Amino acid sequence: MVQTNLAAPSNVLALPLRVVGASNRTTRVDTMSNSAGTVPEQRPRTATARHTSWAVLHTLAGILAACLMALGTADFAAAASSSDDLVKVFVVEDPTQSGTPITSLQAIAATTLGDGARANEILDLNRDLAQKDGGALRSIDDVLRPGWILRLPQDASGPGVRLARDTATQEEPSAPPADGAQTIQPSESDANSPQSTMLTIPLAAAIAIVGAVLLALVTAGIVGRRKVRAACTSVSRTVDKLGDPARRRRRRAARQNMSRQFAADFESVRRAYAILSELSATNPTAPPQVHALRVDDTSATVWLPASDAAEAPWTSIDTTRWQRSTANAVQFAQQDGSRAQTPPSQACLVRAGTDSSGQAIFVDLSHLDSILSVTGDQAVARDVVQNLLEEIARILPSTPVIVRHGAGDSHPLTVPAGLQQIPRTGNAGIAQPIAMHGTVRSVASRRALAGLVVVAGTPSAQEAAELADLCGPGGPGWTGLVYGEVDSAHWRWYTDDQGHVDIPVLGLQLSVPA
């Protein structure tokens, strides 16, 4: 099937009019100048900034020019492709409108081809092609009817020659007419209708326009990058603040749940002391000094000084950490139960918190030997000291405690019921061990802590002197727990508002019970 799209009086018929949108835009770069035309002092103009801005603008201009070149190439290719579908035709005019009689094939050949004998060529191109009125050209003597569209050879020229688009390969042919003539699908517009145009924007033009808009946005973002960065930072902070109360509630609930688990879990304390007993039994004369311990269902890990070492089956992880399977510890306890139940007399294992995997970390307070200062977020620092008191109350009940209130004591603590709170009267010490019953009785009867001095907040000069008398060298050997800054502290832990405590001497960050 051949379809020819016609429109008069244009010389090119039914060729879609492709209009490529183009805009002449002038980009004005704001130089952040004031009304006097000078640059404000808080935004100094520098040669580096100018060079950077011009380099960016040149780069963007090059990209835009490349897009426009690609657009021109695409349009040229589209025009070349579309010209392949154009054929030359002759439209038979109506004598009532033109005032001239209907022409013949010989006359058309003489006018358009310069030789009337070439009428047979026109006949061959149009034989049996259905016309608009249903008729068809079958012989050279047939009378031509107004409105017929006749194909012409490609070398035809003259005032009656027009161009039409051949759409024979773009549509399925319709059913042939009853008289056997081939079907010709006429155009929707006849020879006397005004010229029809179709406004289209090619894909390349659309891409170029979108690219230009994006480049303009990028340019504006680069020029105003400081404002954009400040706006993004402000939005991020606002979103973070809106979600902060919910996050704090979730963290607080998790830390409170950790505190309840510590209060109900006695078995992990026994297992920790069993591991400590095993290490002491391997070398009774010079046992390794365990500063911290972690034990779970599969393995046990201890933190030792770099100068100490653990014997097989313990294996070294790094210079201070050693690890072994807990199954071997159980076997050791079964083979020698008496030694497994006798931990070192100076040991005082307390759970300081949990690591990133949720396992409790035991710290031996017997190595403190003076004062622990917990600083940072005061509320979390209070929770650290409160948890240490709860742990000591479980393993060393009736331990004497003296409480002092320092500067900035906005988060007071509560002395657990298992401890013995006493007033500060002189240089009070403990001459004889007190018989006590706790979770680990053997440790309670051989405890290293003579007593605890707890300072809520930063101590004053007088309080610091009293603290040094009780906890320093030559004193009764009490242990100081302070959530505040103390110059004479032996250990220092640091807390944050997320519920964590950093223990630098062990290289650990733990979550703290609440």
Side-chain angles (χ1 to χ4, degrees):
M1 180 188 69
V2 177
Q3 178 180 351
T4 55
N5 298 331
L6 302 178
S10 174
N11 193 37
V12 178
L13 306 181
L15 178 62
L17 178 59
R18 301 190 177 187
V19 179
V20 179
S23 60
N24 296 325
R25 298 180 181 177
T26 302
T27 302
R28 180 181 180 272
V29 181
D30 187 2
T31 59
M32 305 294 293
S33 61
N34 54 25
S35 58
T38 60
V39 179
E41 295 181 358
Q42 66 272 18
R43 294 296 299 275
R45 188 194 306 272
T46 61
T48 303
R50 286 200 303 270
H51 292 166
T52 302
S53 300
W54 279 113
V56 172
L57 292 178
H58 288 165
T59 302
L60 295 177
I63 296 175
L64 182 58
C67 292
L68 294 178
M69 290 178 62
L71 172 61
T73 304
D75 284 345
F76 177 78
S81 175
S82 61
S83 63
D84 294 340
D85 295 335
L86 296 179
V87 295
K88 295 182 178 181
V89 297
F90 183 90
V91 179
V92 180
E93 298 181 351
D94 188 348
T96 60
Q97 296 181 0
S98 62
T100 59
I102 294 179
T103 185
S104 63
L105 288 182
Q106 291 83 353
I108 295 174
T111 303
T112 60
L113 300 176
D115 186 2
R118 297 183 63 182
N120 290 326
E121 296 182 26
I122 301 176
L123 175 63
D124 294 337
L125 291 174
N126 298 276
R127 190 188 302 273
D128 295 331
L129 292 179
Q131 295 292 336
K132 182 179 180 181
D133 59 358
L137 182 64
R138 294 184 175 85
S139 69
I140 199 170
D141 298 327
D142 287 350
V143 177
L144 304 181
R145 302 177 186 176
W148 279 16
I149 303 171
L150 303 178
R151 284 191 172 192
L152 299 175
Q154 289 301 318
D155 60 343
S157 62
V161 178
R162 302 179 185 177
L163 294 178
R165 185 176 302 281
D166 186 0
T167 59
T169 59
Q170 300 177 6
E171 300 180 0
E172 293 296 329
S174 58
D179 58 0
Q182 296 184 11
T183 303
I184 296 179
Q185 180 64 39
S187 172
E188 295 180 357
S189 60
D190 55 25
N192 297 316
S193 64
Q195 179 182 3
S196 62
T197 60
M198 179 172 58
L199 179 62
T200 61
I201 300 179
L203 178 61
I207 294 176
I209 294 173
V210 173
V213 173
L214 292 178
L215 289 176
L217 293 177
V218 171
T219 303
I222 293 175
V223 174
R225 58 188 178 277
R226 293 186 180 180
K227 292 184 178 181
V228 172
R229 187 184 300 112
C232 292
T233 302
S234 177
V235 172
S236 177
R237 289 177 179 175
T238 302
V239 173
D240 186 67
K241 287 181 180 179
L242 292 176
D244 191 59
R247 288 192 296 270
R248 288 182 178 273
R249 287 194 298 269
R250 289 194 296 268
R251 286 194 296 266
R252 185 72 180 178
R255 294 170 55 209
Q256 290 174 345
N257 183 56
M258 184 195 309
S259 181
R260 290 189 291 268
Q261 290 178 352
F262 280 6
D265 181 16
F266 300 121
E267 182 60 27
S268 64
V269 179
R270 296 181 185 276
R271 293 171 64 188
Y273 275 99
I275 295 294
L276 197 62
S277 299
E278 177 191 344
L279 281 170
S280 300
T282 57
N283 190 357
T285 58
Q289 300 298 310
V290 178
H291 286 270
L293 186 148
R294 176 184 182 273
V295 59
D296 55 32
D297 295 336
T298 60
S299 64
T301 305
V302 293
W303 280 256
L304 306 179
S307 57
D308 284 1
E311 299 179 359
W314 291 88
T315 58
S316 176
I317 302 176
D318 51 36
T319 56
T320 59
R321 290 186 301 164
W322 296 74
Q323 191 176 66
R324 67 167 296 176
S325 171
T326 52
N328 295 331
V330 175
Q331 181 180 2
F332 181 89
Q334 293 174 350
Q335 292 175 354
D336 196 345
S338 60
R339 287 195 297 175
Q341 296 298 322
T342 307
S345 59
Q346 302 298 319
C348 181
L349 294 178
V350 294
R351 289 166 291 193
T354 59
D355 59 12
S356 58
S357 63
Q359 294 296 328
I361 300 296
F362 289 84
V363 176
D364 191 351
L365 288 184
S366 67
H367 295 291
L368 176 55
D369 193 30
S370 181
I371 302 171
L372 167 63
S373 174
V374 186
T375 58
D377 186 86
Q378 192 176 32
V380 179
R382 186 276 316 271
D383 291 340
V384 171
V385 175
Q386 183 73 55
N387 173 67
L388 294 180
L389 292 178
E390 298 286 351
E391 288 284 291
I392 294 172
R394 296 186 188 105
I395 63 173
L396 299 175
S398 300
T399 299
V401 178
I402 297 175
V403 178
R404 288 288 180 263
H405 299 280
D409 178 22
S410 59
H411 300 277
L413 53 78
T414 302
V415 177
L419 301 179
Q420 180 184 359
Q421 184 172 359
I422 60 176
R424 174 72 170 93
T425 56
N427 213 17
I430 297 180
Q432 298 293 332
I434 300 176
M436 293 173 286
H437 303 283
T439 305
V440 183
R441 299 182 181 181
S442 58
V443 175
S445 62
R446 304 174 66 181
R447 60 185 172 82
L449 294 181
L452 296 172
V453 180
V454 180
V455 181
T458 301
S460 63
Q462 180 180 355
E463 291 167 344
E466 294 178 353
L467 190 64
D469 290 341
L470 287 173
C471 305
W478 284 37
T479 299
L481 301 178
V482 182
Y483 52 97
E485 183 61 44
V486 182
D487 293 337
S488 59
H490 187 204
W491 282 2
R492 293 182 184 275
W493 295 359
Y494 306 95
T495 61
D496 59 23
D497 59 355
Q498 307 297 313
H500 300 136
V501 59
D502 287 328
I503 306 179
V505 69
L506 301 176
L508 290 172
Q509 184 184 70
L510 307 178
S511 296
V512 180

